[in-house]
Amino acid sequence: MKLDEVTISRAILSEQHKIMTEYLDIDCAVVGGGPSGITCAAILAQNGVKVALIEKKLSIGGGMWGGGMMFPRIVVQEEARRLLDHFGIKYTEYEKGYYVASSVEAVSKSLAAACDAGAEVFNLTTVEDVVVKEDGGVSGLVINWTAVEMAGLHIDPLTMRTKVTVDATGHDSMIAHMVRKKGGALEIKGEGFMWAERAETNILSHTKEVFPGLIVAGMAANAVGGETRMGPIFGGMLLSGEKAANMIIERLKK
Amino acid sequence: MKLDEVTISRAILSEQHKIMTEYLDIDCAVVGGGPSGITCAAILAQNGVKVALIEKKLSIGGGMWGGGMMFPRIVVQEEARRLLDHFGIKYTEYEKGYYVASSVEAVSKSLAAACDAGAEVFNLTTVEDVVVKEDGGVSGLVINWTAVEMAGLHIDPLTMRTKVTVDATGHDSMIAHMVRKKGGALEIKGEGFMWAERAETNILSHTKEVFPGLIVAGMAANAVGGETRMGPIFGGMLLSGEKAANMIIERLKK
Amino acid sequence: MKLDEVTISRAILSEQHKIMTEYLDIDCAVVGGGPSGITCAAILAQNGVKVALIEKKLSIGGGMWGGGMMFPRIVVQEEARRLLDHFGIKYTEYEKGYYVASSVEAVSKSLAAACDAGAEVFNLTTVEDVVVKEDGGVSGLVINWTAVEMAGLHIDPLTMRTKVTVDATGHDSMIAHMVRKKGGALEIKGEGFMWAERAETNILSHTKEVFPGLIVAGMAANAVGGETRMGPIFGGMLLSGEKAANMIIERLKK
Amino acid sequence: MKLDEVTISRAILSEQHKIMTEYLDIDCAVVGGGPSGITCAAILAQNGVKVALIEKKLSIGGGMWGGGMMFPRIVVQEEARRLLDHFGIKYTEYEKGYYVASSVEAVSKSLAAACDAGAEVFNLTTVEDVVVKEDGGVSGLVINWTAVEMAGLHIDPLTMRTKVTVDATGHDSMIAHMVRKKGGALEIKGEGFMWAERAETNILSHTKEVFPGLIVAGMAANAVGGETRMGPIFGGMLLSGEKAANMIIERLKK
Amino acid sequence: MKLDEVTISRAILSEQHKIMTEYLDIDCAVVGGGPSGITCAAILAQNGVKVALIEKKLSIGGGMWGGGMMFPRIVVQEEARRLLDHFGIKYTEYEKGYYVASSVEAVSKSLAAACDAGAEVFNLTTVEDVVVKEDGGVSGLVINWTAVEMAGLHIDPLTMRTKVTVDATGHDSMIAHMVRKKGGALEIKGEGFMWAERAETNILSHTKEVFPGLIVAGMAANAVGGETRMGPIFGGMLLSGEKAANMIIERLKK
Amino acid sequence: MKLDEVTISRAILSEQHKIMTEYLDIDCAVVGGGPSGITCAAILAQNGVKVALIEKKLSIGGGMWGGGMMFPRIVVQEEARRLLDHFGIKYTEYEKGYYVASSVEAVSKSLAAACDAGAEVFNLTTVEDVVVKEDGGVSGLVINWTAVEMAGLHIDPLTMRTKVTVDATGHDSMIAHMVRKKGGALEIKGEGFMWAERAETNILSHTKEVFPGLIVAGMAANAVGGETRMGPIFGGMLLSGEKAANMIIERLKK
Amino acid sequence: MKLDEVTISRAILSEQHKIMTEYLDIDCAVVGGGPSGITCAAILAQNGVKVALIEKKLSIGGGMWGGGMMFPRIVVQEEARRLLDHFGIKYTEYEKGYYVASSVEAVSKSLAAACDAGAEVFNLTTVEDVVVKEDGGVSGLVINWTAVEMAGLHIDPLTMRTKVTVDATGHDSMIAHMVRKKGGALEIKGEGFMWAERAETNILSHTKEVFPGLIVAGMAANAVGGETRMGPIFGGMLLSGEKAANMIIERLKK
Amino acid sequence: MKLDEVTISRAILSEQHKIMTEYLDIDCAVVGGGPSGITCAAILAQNGVKVALIEKKLSIGGGMWGGGMMFPRIVVQEEARRLLDHFGIKYTEYEKGYYVASSVEAVSKSLAAACDAGAEVFNLTTVEDVVVKEDGGVSGLVINWTAVEMAGLHIDPLTMRTKVTVDATGHDSMIAHMVRKKGGALEIKGEGFMWAERAETNILSHTKEVFPGLIVAGMAANAVGGETRMGPIFGGMLLSGEKAANMIIERLKK
């Protein structure tokens, strides 16, 4: 067939313009494309929620790509094995209850599931600020190109309206920090010493709404809750993403 | 269950040690984790070839994540639509013969397929040099951690033996340049002006063995062959990866 | 009135989407927003040509803002005084035939004229490459966000179709260099010593079509033509932009 | 005519020397060349005030050039439409009360108006400190070349005497911070969450004299007043600049 | 003999894999490869303790290589002369009681002794965090490649179990700071003015267990204890390393 | 005893002043403190040659510290085992003829031997240029502090007279390049592909006087000779250093 | 005559070794080679005091070289004119009591006077810390090469004994800050707003001993005393240096 | 007396404006403020020539400040001793014919002499280009603020007319390179190996007019002439500056 560069360019512009315009008003924004964010977005989309997964980097997957000390393997414990199965990720058993998977496969399979289900991904997108109005809760995100910040440019952002936002930005818990820095009543206790077992046990209780309209998940949940550090075991991360998704599904039903 | 950090650490070390030791002697190394490299590795693995996909960055997917001008959509033409179907990537038709897909979905689905089929991914790994011995062909790769180069450290590399190597490193065609720089008889013509149609038409004829043991695919094929530039249309990339895979499958049968 | 952030965001996206889609197929692209580029674009637009002024930086005006050695004044000689009048730029006479104007006023007035006349400005936009097809002439530009390059990202570009392109990128003459680097038959002689008078006299003869579809103007014309350097006198720059515009108006009439 | 480089150089030096010497003692200094600063300087000059617009960058216009997320369009609401008309900036209506203009045209037209009216622009000029003497108010600015700071040089500044100073430096509110840092009684509350409507409504009440001799305008007014954030809607910015100008005109009449 | 690159690579991987796996569970980790750390590790190993010396840089020796002001000589006083003899380091007497040695020889001889005795060195390894569990003491270290941090990558660490840890990281006393930053009850007083004699006299009393499972040695001991600074005299450093070693040998006997 | 900071300072200055003054006129300078340089310097000193080992970095050992891919182990083949024994470096046999040693131990033991024998080490010292006079051979080195170059300072160097110089600067072969760049008749062929066996076999024939007064050793020998690359096997390096030393001992006897 | 490079090198090393060894024990160290430091050192030396002028940069003169806003002229008022005469610096009278001199001449003439009188200059030398012992006063300086800090190296310093130290490091007042940071009882009030007249009037009362053994002069005196800022008028600087010198001469007589 | 900041500022501006305007048309420009440039300018001024000494850095003195390897001493041989006496620089005799002086004193005394004699110094000034017109010789310099280049700004230069220009820019011989790069008939042979005696002997014959209107002096003379390197002996530098001055004095008499 005959190929025309301008048509290719217009195809890209038009399709993405449609998506961007439509996704400025959504049910849920999940900020941070690591394991808990991907899991959360996948399960939300699988349940019909209009969800955007916002990631500041070019690629999705965050720290999961690198496994432990650059050896690209992750460990998942018994309790979360069913989520590996849910996403179709292969694993081997190292010792009883310790399952080892390829970190690359873990990223690609869970992300493929999210895309399949209709989650829309906004990569290279930075959240600069949040919208908080009369009702005192987070009702939107102020977004910009990550490249604008990387290039040191001074450019105004745009705004996306959300019913609920998930902070899955890892131990930086960036959305929670934005809220607190501008005066929101929200305590951030910070991550504790390394103690994987305690961290894995408690992460689900830290996965909750910490400010009206803002739910924390994954390492951000533990960082806000003052929990210990977990290292390269990923079961709690996946379960936390799942729990956040389920909380939102319940809330949106009302 | 009780979780122990040292067991987690040993699980990661042992599983990856097994993989690394085993994969120092393989059938095929595909260098570069962009669209043609992923496609090539996926099809090789689906046909039982012992293949390593080597990528210098932390994440796989290369330039495909960003779509065109950071709008995360790619265009694929009619001829390559069957490969979108092969990987289960959704698309819409913009104009007749122009299919638009999510760039994020395209990466994750094709990579998931490669992992499913058993391709082993070595991310954060840089190819520093190639092995060329008496027979005058490429018979191995000299690899190192990318972090070593990024940190400006001076550390010796290790070596991986291969029967055939695919240079899928994009328009830098890094493996081809290494071969030429050290005296290999190999002409690199460089990429021409933008002219998508010609580039898409000719890429398959440029996908070939350019030096004993070295096949070029994707943009590297066009760069070595002196072909024109293609922009954000990805059909030729996928088809080139497929062709390189099929050439190797044939060769290894002998 | 009630103000809504999402409506504001959609207003911006939609208006610019309309412009971008429309301007992927134009009469003339002027690359470089310095004095000759602005003048050229202004006169083209004043004559009904569909013209895009493409500038890689955030602001338009280039080196004119800084005057000479950061003293924000420029000098214009008698021959070009009518162009100051054309744009409504105030000046004083220092010695007979030497007119001094504010460099800031010169930028803002000439740019305001270009906008008034309907020239569309694409700032923060880098030209990465040109389109050259069967007919062997420049028939389009390969564009990307400047921020992509500044941030060191690897992102595919889009393409803009043009009937004629003006290289007004200053003494770097970037478009001419792109054409030459990829094999176009085009000699670039480089700028000579400082000799303002000769440079000002000869610039008009250097303002011409140097490759099919590509006209050079301003310092780029002198750099390609091997002319001497001119320093902070701007008459020749303005006249060169005007001449390039008139050549294009003539050509497009055919 | 015969052109002489030394005459050109002397013309620039002499004209700017005249300006600099004269403008070391002025009625009003507007610091910051963004939309509110330009508007303020334009209206002051149109009313006969001897005003200097001081900008640290090479170009004037600040964040207005980039529109929203690098899409070069800005939105202005009904209340401020008359200022677009005042400067001759074209616009289209997106929805009732939302007017969209080219950000490039907005900069060039408003700046052209300021120049026309006789405002003198000092670009590439940094305000390092303020003069405060016996009477306890700001009575001058300590200025230097921006290039001195960019180059990391240690060079003494010069001093400019002012009757009133406008801090239009954006949300950094740099002059207000200087005053506070050295002990001036001045509270800076910081910018709140994004809430465009509230910000646009309240900006005029925050545009006021916050320290003897120092008026804040534009985003600096909202940052000092603890107001919410506004994003790429510019009506309030223009109105704030206008209000600051009118306050100064009144004061100088006395 | 015939040499095979893959065998060489496997030899390195396998030997180090054995070491890494084995050393994830040790008696003592000495963090910091300066003079006190090397001395401590050497004496521990000479007494049969399973000890790892962890150094973030590529080379071991720290600040000792450079002597004073880049003149590669160090001074040791009478009290510590026997440790020079213990390691076989040559010296000359400058004035009574002041012995001068080559700083290069001092590093290589003491490190050779540590290696001879079986201390295992982990260079290019960063301690990111510590493990603290129910018993409230340091029971492990969270380690990563230094290159990961230098390259700005986001990669999970692994964990090493220890019975006792020595902070010999110099005046940064990095392990002590980690403990304190995450809430451990540990006061760090900081280094005082230069006063070599007092520092050398008191360093042994500061060499002690400052938090359960954590002993400080060398400059880290003085920094935690609020002692004065010592400069390029190394007797106290060596004696502090020796004392820490002896304390640990006693403890492990129990 | 009473300790005085000024006495400590004077002790360091005086001892090093003695060394520097004495070593400005020596038998042999070995440039580069990697494995071949250390071996060469050690054997020279053990045979009574007045030798300076010059290293630009703070620490000695070069690339040997990092083993292969940051796993701190090196491999030595049968032919060079006796040099491990000579320096007292422990090793284990991986496969017949492949001996694995700790890279850290290898550095410290060989360097300790060099120091023991009286080789003087000048670390943090850069060779800027060479002295070549009437007789046309290298008769001295132009040295400076490495910190001068790192800090970007413009400071004149000093000069050291040598009877013979060894370029052991690795594959950069910096001294050979200096000689060639200033017109010395010396061909530098550059390193070839990876082929460890050939490299190890031929390195001794490349270890020779390549310009009057200049001997190349280690990777510099192979780089000048156009030999293949060797990777993390160190036998040839040690043997090359030994051969260079023996050639010099013979020459100086005359 | 015959010239020998090694003799030249030894001449430099030996002469400077003599100076360094001798100057590790002096009457007075003046830290900072700006106008007040040079003046102080010159007058001290002219009165027979053994004085070292320590400057971290390569060149002496500090901010005086650049005049005001890079225009290399300084202004001195009537009160200090006699010091211009004392150093033989030419000047012209701009208005009554305002004398303008070349900043370059001012540096070179005052520094030449200091050298003539026997002050010894240590350039490229950083003061890292101070010596404070039992008596609680500053009794020495801890010095290092500036290049060590610029190159990011970790190298131990040497120590210089002083009877009195002058902090003439400008508004950073670096020595005073060191003393305060390590617990010395010393208040540093910081520089106020620009108000040249007040600053020039009060600088002499701020020039005093602020901690036992430590006198502040020049801008450091005003910064410690909380005085206003002065800009490019240098009379107070010169007078402050003179006063500090006279105080020290008196003290040393006792 | 009463001090006014604006008067101080105007005094600086006006005095330097007078100098700049006057010095845009001079007899001789000496480019480069190292030892040969200072000497040349001093002797020219002492003979009544209107001379500008142009230096790109803030301070004058170049590489002379640092002596050899940061030890601030320089050596001058017998032949040039009279120039030390001419400038009043103190020295000691190390060996017969080798005179050692303080590098700091050497700079300040020679520069003070130049200022005394009326040479005008333009520091922080970069020569960007030269003026060459019909007669084919250098007849002017294109100058800019160094800070413009350091800050990466794009600002037009001004022009200075000269009868003769001296390139005293050191071994970069920057003016000679500018001339050659733009096509001037001028061979630059580059500096040879270190061989102080030959360099010192031949420098005077290399000090000559190498292009109409351009004389090279100091290290630039040797670099253009292909002479050997000299190191920290300064006799030849001073004599070369003197010779260049005398040649110019003769020429201007005609």
Side-chain angles (χ1 to χ4, degrees), chain C residues 52-73:
Chain C
L53 179 62
I54 300 176
E55 166 61 44
K56 67 179 175 184
K57 296 213 171 141
L58 180 55
S59 61
I60 312 297
M64 191 156 43
W65 289 102
M69 270 183 84
M70 308 199 302
F71 301 107
R73 299 286 141 180

Side-chain angles (χ1 to χ4, degrees), chain C residues 1-5 7-17 19-20 58-63 65-75 77-79 88 90 92-98 100 102-105 107-109 111-113 115-118 120-124 145 147 194-197 200-201 229-230 232-233, chain D residues 1-5 7-17 19-20 58-63 65-75 77-79 88 90 92-98 100 102-105 107-109 111-113 115-118 120-124 145 147 194-197 200-201 229-230 232-233:
Chain C
M1 62 177 281
K2 188 86 184 140
L3 278 177
D4 177 63
E5 291 86 356
T7 306
I8 296 167
S9 299
R10 282 181 175 150
I12 289 171
L13 283 179
S14 294
E15 289 302 307
Q16 188 63 13
H17 177 64
I19 296 289
M20 283 183 79
L58 180 55
S59 61
I60 312 297
W65 289 102
M69 270 183 84
M70 308 199 302
F71 301 107
R73 299 286 141 180
I74 61 169
V75 173
Q77 66 270 54
E78 190 60 52
E79 290 83 343
K90 299 189 302 289
T92 62
E93 191 168 25
Y94 176 73
E95 281 190 12
K96 184 166 170 38
Y98 292 81
V100 186
S102 152
S103 63
V104 173
E105 182 172 346
V107 173
S108 59
K109 286 292 187 65
L111 181 57
C115 290
D116 256 351
E120 195 61 42
V121 178
F122 293 83
N123 56 347
L124 278 176
W145 295 114
M194 170 70 92
W195 184 358
E197 189 174 18
E200 290 286 321
T201 303
R229 191 168 168 174
M230 56 181 61
I233 182 155
Chain D
M1 65 177 280
K2 187 86 184 142
L3 278 176
D4 177 63
E5 290 87 357
T7 306
I8 296 167
S9 300
R10 282 180 175 149
I12 289 171
L13 283 179
S14 295
E15 288 303 307
Q16 188 63 11
H17 178 64
I19 295 289
M20 283 184 80
L58 180 56
S59 61
I60 310 298
W65 288 102
M69 272 183 81
M70 307 199 304
F71 301 108
R73 300 285 139 181
I74 61 170
V75 174
Q77 66 270 53
E78 190 59 51
E79 290 84 342
K90 300 188 300 289
T92 62
E93 192 168 26
Y94 175 73
E95 281 190 13
K96 185 165 168 40
Y98 292 80
V100 186
S102 152
S103 63
V104 174
E105 181 170 347
V107 173
S108 59
K109 286 293 188 65
L111 180 57
C115 291
D116 256 351
E120 195 62 42
V121 178
F122 293 83
N123 55 347
L124 278 177
W145 296 113
M194 169 71 90
W195 184 358
E197 188 174 19
E200 290 286 319
T201 304
R229 190 169 169 172
M230 55 181 62
I233 182 155

Side-chain angles (χ1 to χ4, degrees), chain E residues 31-182:
Chain E
V31 187
S36 62
I38 297 175
T39 302
C40 183
I43 293 175
L44 284 170
Q46 287 166 346
N47 285 274
V49 175
K50 184 178 177 185
V51 59
L53 179 62
I54 300 177
E55 166 61 44
K56 69 178 174 184
K57 297 215 171 141
L58 180 56
S59 62
I60 311 298
M64 192 158 43
W65 288 102
M69 271 182 82
M70 307 200 302
F71 301 108
R73 301 285 139 180
I74 61 168
V75 173
V76 169
Q77 66 271 51
E78 189 60 49
E79 289 84 344
R81 179 156 60 126
R82 63 179 169 81
L83 282 166
L84 294 183
D85 291 333
H86 179 76
F87 292 129
I89 300 163
K90 298 189 301 290
Y91 48 84
T92 62
E93 191 169 26
Y94 175 73
E95 281 189 14
K96 186 167 167 38
Y98 292 81
Y99 301 95
V100 186
S102 153
S103 64
V104 174
E105 181 171 346
V107 173
S108 59
K109 287 293 188 64
S110 56
L111 181 57
C115 290
D116 256 352
E120 195 61 42
V121 178
F122 293 83
N123 56 346
L124 278 177
T125 303
T126 297
V127 175
E128 278 192 4
D129 204 348
V130 296
V131 179
V132 176
K133 298 195 177 177
E134 296 92 330
D135 63 6
V138 173
S139 61
L141 299 176
V142 180
I143 58 173
N144 214 332
W145 295 113
T146 301
V148 163
E149 185 188 358
M150 291 171 80
L153 294 165
H154 173 35
I155 306 283
D156 270 308
L158 297 181
T159 306
M160 173 183 268
R161 184 180 295 130
T162 63
K163 292 186 183 130
V164 60
T165 295
V166 177
D167 183 345
T169 61
H171 70 79
D172 291 339
S173 54
M174 285 167 51
I175 309 302
H177 273 90
M178 278 173 199
V179 167
R180 192 183 60 166
K181 194 178 158 197
K182 293 214 165 163

